[in-house]
Amino acid sequence: MFRRWLDDLPLGLAPLLIAAMGLVAGLYLLLHPVQRGEADLSMWVFGPLHADAYKMAAEDFSVRTDHTIDVQLINYNAVNQKLRSALWAAVNIPDLVEIEKSAAGGFFRGPLAKVGFLDLKPYLVRDHILDRVPANSLATYTERGAIFGLPHDIHPVMLAYRADIVDPYLARRGLRMEDLATWGDYFRELRGLCTAGQRYLLQIEHGDAWAFQIFLMQRGGGIFGPGGRLRMDDDTAVQTMTWMIPLVAESGDNQVAESLGNWDPSFYRGLIEGFYIAVLCPDWRTSQLEAFAGDLHGKMRLVPLPAATPGGLRTSQMGGTMLGIARSARNPELAWQFARQIYYGSPQQHGQLFRTTNIITPDRQAWNDPAYHEPRPYWCNQVLGEQFIALADAVPPFYSSGFLPTAQAKLNEAIVACYGRYRSHGVEGFEAYVRQRLTSAADYVRRQMAREPDWDAEE
Amino acid sequence: MQRSASRTAPYLFLSPFVLSFLIFGAYPIIRSMILSLYITSGPEAQHFVGLGNYRYLLQDPDFWTAFRNTATFAVGSVVLQLPLSLGLAILLNRHDIRGRNVFRFIFFSPNLMGLVFSALLFMLILAPKFGLLNAGLHALFGLPLTTRWLSTPALVMPALILVALWLYTGFNMVYFLAALQGVDTELYEAATIDGAGRWAQFWHVTLPGIKPVLIFVVVLSTIGSFQLFELAFLLLGNSSGPDQAGLTIVMYLYQNGFLGGDLGYAAAIGWTLAGMVLILAIVQLRLTGAGREER
């Protein structure tokens, strides 16, 4: 009878089995619903090393306060999307979350009262933490007077170079890397090491805005200024572009900078094989070099960036992470206590994080921890922590905006166009062209910004 | 009583579909249409602009860059992919090819790896200096090793088309194989007796025989190409590439809606894309006479 019934099924046995499996699975889920975390607070983190450190801190916090924290590791790209969806739908919003600096501005758009994060300024003032962190590191997360994020890091940029190639070359000429105070000195004195197609003096990607941003901030410029003012076409930007493009766009032996990619295996291979002898290197990148360019152990050194002009700034900034507390946090005070512990807690904790990530904390009180004063064999026994700490207060501010991705995309277009123009026409009329391209790029962003209603007035 | 029950029965049976369609199909469509009339910052902050988003879109150079890139990819993919797929299908439909099932599997297999894996694989293959493609071109033609496939604006689209070829040629081949197996073999015998050569057989027997599938594949490939997002996004490192050379319409929608938070403008882009795809599909169907045949 069952057989006959089966034969009568128009699509055969398979759909019946699929339907039965669906039914069983549905019933199981109905009877065993997924248990939501029982923790008092939830936290999303995108860095695996951060997650490990915070899980340990959460255990310690739990012992001290009897409150539990569920620290979840979420992929870097996913955390932004997941957070945006959670905030938009007001469902499953974490109490605390870490996001990357360039994505932060996007979360600060709209009416101030509807930004998904809590203004942390009152907490920072109340607990006297404002004085403990370099003011520049807070600029990124300050929007219309409110501080929506705690800076996890400062990320001063230094120059990491192949000491095994450069130092003997300079020694023969009676020089040291530390003597090269400006970019002009750097390219002039090391010119002899540069061979077209074989070896270059600096790694810079042709059509990528991130190196440009490093140079721009080093010269005191920026894509945005305080209060969200767009300044990507000011004189500083024009000068920076006019200076940077020829480094990669000159032909033959006059080209001194080149790249084989920024983050992929080719980048590391290029450095290992000496295709470029120096890279722009924020603190976090040093640990990546240690991990992915292990062959260079004992062959790399760090020096402050050569300045644009004599006496100019010897560092810049690249990357960053913030910690925000959601406006909807179940217990904001408790969330603040945990945030305070992991960001401005014990120096030993920061020291431990520095040993694994090479990232220096913005909390000055932690800088005395021994971890920041240990020589590192990978870096020719240089004391990495002290090197970066010495530059911490000089790091230029980075101002975020909800229009940062658009501005970066437009800047990227302008860089590519300027590169093409220099390759075809050389220096003739180049500065005027750079100014025109940057103005046109900025005008596009300004048009987009002009569409934005005055959200706070509408509220 | 029984009569009224039998009258309501069809509606009862239809109601699960109708309800789920209304909730998950019709409502989002109508909501997104309404949303496209607003500038938004997330779903809560909205500012009515009427058709302002559409007017801005038509003057937005980035949208036209995205359209140009997407159209280039669609034309490049369809024009190269379909003849290749058809050629492979004809070849692997022949009974005198040894191990043809193995070859069929090999050509189809790129589809079994996800887009993420494919993108990572091609990032390495296309890498300058150390990548397999540059090494091969250097060995064969002496071309420079440092060609930047993914960071030179003019090369980004050819690179994307190349990856799409690798991914989808085998997939479309399967459609053509199925269609070829449906062509009546007696027609070939009759054509041979009438003295038709291979080309004449292909033109007068094979092509008409597989025409419905061919039209289906052309329309599907075009629509798929216009929806290009993940492949370009992953291959270009979560960006639109140098000089926006890899910016596609869907990527532009994503950037505005999900990175910028302006869901209204993103909805306007989505509706414009839907209109474009609809017009394109109608034109293709008209040109190929597919509608006439069905009537």
Side-chain angles (χ1 to χ4, degrees), chain B residues 187-253:
Chain B
L187 291 175
Y188 290 107
E189 288 162 16
T192 312
I193 291 166
D194 288 346
R198 288 205 166 175
W199 176 248
Q201 284 186 24
F202 171 75
W203 196 251
H204 297 291
V205 179
T206 308
L207 268 189
I210 63 165
K211 191 177 172 185
V213 171
L214 186 66
I215 293 165
F216 171 76
V217 172
V218 168
V219 173
L220 210 71
S221 299
T222 310
I223 293 174
S225 299
F226 265 81
Q227 291 173 343
L228 174 71
F229 172 62
E230 305 98 310
L231 181 65
F233 190 66
L234 292 166
L235 207 57
L236 298 170
N238 298 353
S239 78
S240 48
D243 203 17
Q244 312 259 56
L247 182 72
T248 67
I249 297 177
V250 180
M251 199 188 286
Y252 192 50
L253 183 156

Side-chain angles (χ1 to χ4, degrees), chain A residues 297-432:
Chain A
H297 189 94
K299 296 177 180 172
M300 295 291 294
R301 279 190 86 233
L302 284 161
V303 284
L305 288 185
T309 50
L313 202 58
R314 301 294 302 267
T315 189
S316 186
Q317 193 193 117
M318 170 68 188
T321 301
M322 69 157 249
L323 172 66
I325 297 178
R327 193 182 286 278
S328 60
R330 285 168 281 180
N331 186 340
E333 183 58 38
L334 190 67
W336 166 253
Q337 292 305 329
F338 184 63
R340 201 188 141 150
Q341 180 189 317
I342 55 176
Y343 270 43
Y344 309 107
S346 74
Q348 294 79 12
Q349 185 185 309
H350 288 303
Q352 193 48 43
L353 194 65
F354 178 74
R355 283 197 181 100
T356 50
T357 63
N358 292 353
I359 294 173
I360 59 165
T361 170
D363 185 0
R364 294 175 202 281
Q365 288 186 7
W367 292 348
N368 289 326
D369 186 79
Y372 294 96
H373 307 279
E374 291 164 354
R376 296 294 190 88
Y378 184 92
W379 298 97
C380 296
N381 284 324
Q382 282 185 296
V383 182
L384 215 61
E386 287 177 10
Q387 297 252 58
F388 282 109
I389 286 168
L391 296 169
D393 280 307
V395 167
F398 176 91
Y399 296 97
S400 197
S401 160
F403 292 93
L404 185 66
T406 309
Q408 280 173 326
K410 289 286 131 191
L411 197 57
N412 187 289
E413 275 180 47
I415 291 170
V416 172
C418 290
Y419 173 79
R421 161 79 192 200
Y422 196 91
R423 293 287 287 181
S424 58
H425 292 77
V427 75
E428 187 70 33
F430 185 59
E431 186 173 337

Side-chain angles (χ1 to χ4, degrees), chain A residues 66-316:
Chain A
D66 210 24
H67 288 289
T68 50
I69 315 233
D70 176 24
V71 179
Q72 294 172 32
L73 176 65
I74 296 173
N75 172 274
Y76 165 72
N77 287 314
V79 79
N80 293 336
Q81 290 309 318
K82 204 168 146 83
L83 179 63
R84 210 176 294 275
S85 305
L87 290 172
W88 286 354
V91 172
N92 195 23
I93 303 172
D95 297 282
L96 299 110
V97 61
E98 272 192 345
I99 51 177
E100 205 268 329
K101 180 172 75 175
S102 59
F107 288 98
F108 305 157
R109 271 189 70 201
L112 210 54
K114 285 184 178 167
V115 171
F117 296 108
L118 211 58
D119 179 7
L120 300 174
K121 199 171 181 178
Y123 294 93
L124 288 164
V125 172
R126 187 192 73 189
D127 292 1
H128 310 289
I129 291 177
L130 272 182
D131 307 332
R132 280 169 55 179
V133 296
N136 285 346
S137 63
L138 287 168
T140 312
Y141 313 117
T142 304
E143 174 77 20
R144 287 165 274 176
I147 299 173
F148 290 120
L150 301 176
H152 172 267
D153 32 54
I154 305 176
H155 296 328
V157 179
M158 297 186 77
L159 191 70
Y161 72 96
R162 287 285 303 270
D164 58 325
I165 298 171
V166 174
D167 285 351
Y169 176 80
L170 284 176
R172 282 198 294 275
R173 312 179 67 196
L175 288 166
R176 293 177 318 132
M177 227 2 213
E178 281 78 359
D179 298 330
L180 312 182
T182 65
W183 283 114
D185 296 341
Y186 176 80
F187 289 118
R188 190 180 57 250
E189 297 299 340
L190 293 175
R191 194 81 171 193
L193 280 175
C194 189
T195 313
Q198 303 292 317
R199 175 165 294 161
Y200 295 91
L201 303 183
L202 188 63
Q203 182 257 339
I204 303 179
E205 194 71 23
H206 294 194
D208 193 330
W210 80 268
F212 176 76
Q213 282 182 75
I214 288 176
F215 293 131
L216 183 62
M217 287 200 290
Q218 190 189 14
R219 287 167 178 249
I223 298 179
F224 285 91
R229 183 175 56 87
L230 186 73
R231 51 174 305 199
M232 62 187 278
D233 57 342
D234 66 8
D235 285 343
T236 313
V238 173
Q239 285 158 15
T240 309
M241 185 83 90
T242 310
W243 171 79
M244 187 192 86
I245 293 295
L247 303 178
V248 283
E250 283 282 6
S251 48
D253 284 345
N254 290 327
Q255 182 189 346
V256 290
E258 182 55 286
S259 176
L260 296 173
N262 272 335
W263 321 110
D264 46 28
S266 300
F267 162 75
Y268 298 104
R269 185 99 185 263
L271 188 62
I272 291 167
E273 295 199 353
F275 187 69
Y276 23 76
I277 54 167
V279 297
L280 301 167
C281 194
D283 53 357
W284 53 266
R285 205 177 201 189
T286 56
S287 62
Q288 293 188 349
L289 290 177
E290 289 170 12
F292 302 121
D295 292 3
L296 298 180
H297 189 94
K299 296 177 180 172
M300 295 291 294
R301 279 190 86 233
L302 284 161
V303 284
L305 288 185
T309 50
L313 202 58
R314 301 294 302 267
T315 189
S316 186

Side-chain angles (χ1 to χ4, degrees), chain A residues 77 81 84 88 106 109-111 114 197 205-207 258-260 265-266 269-270 273 275 409-410 412-413 416 444 447-448 451-453 455 458, chain B residues 39-47 53 56 60-62 124 127 129-130 148 151 153 238 241-244 252 254 257-263:
Chain A
N77 287 314
Q81 290 309 318
R84 210 176 294 275
W88 286 354
R109 271 189 70 201
K114 285 184 178 167
E205 194 71 23
H206 294 194
E258 182 55 286
S259 176
L260 296 173
S266 300
R269 185 99 185 263
E273 295 199 353
F275 187 69
K410 289 286 131 191
N412 187 289
E413 275 180 47
V416 172
Y444 179 91
R447 272 200 304 279
Q448 284 230 334
R451 292 187 78 227
E452 187 90 334
W455 295 112
E458 291 206 352
Chain B
I39 287 178
T40 77
S41 175
E44 278 194 55
Q46 299 188 348
H47 174 81
N53 280 333
Y56 186 79
D60 182 352
D62 275 15
L124 295 175
K129 199 159 168 76
F130 309 115
R148 290 173 178 72
S151 55
N238 298 353
D243 203 17
Q244 312 259 56
Y252 192 50
Y254 168 80
F258 297 94
L259 297 180
D262 191 350
L263 296 171

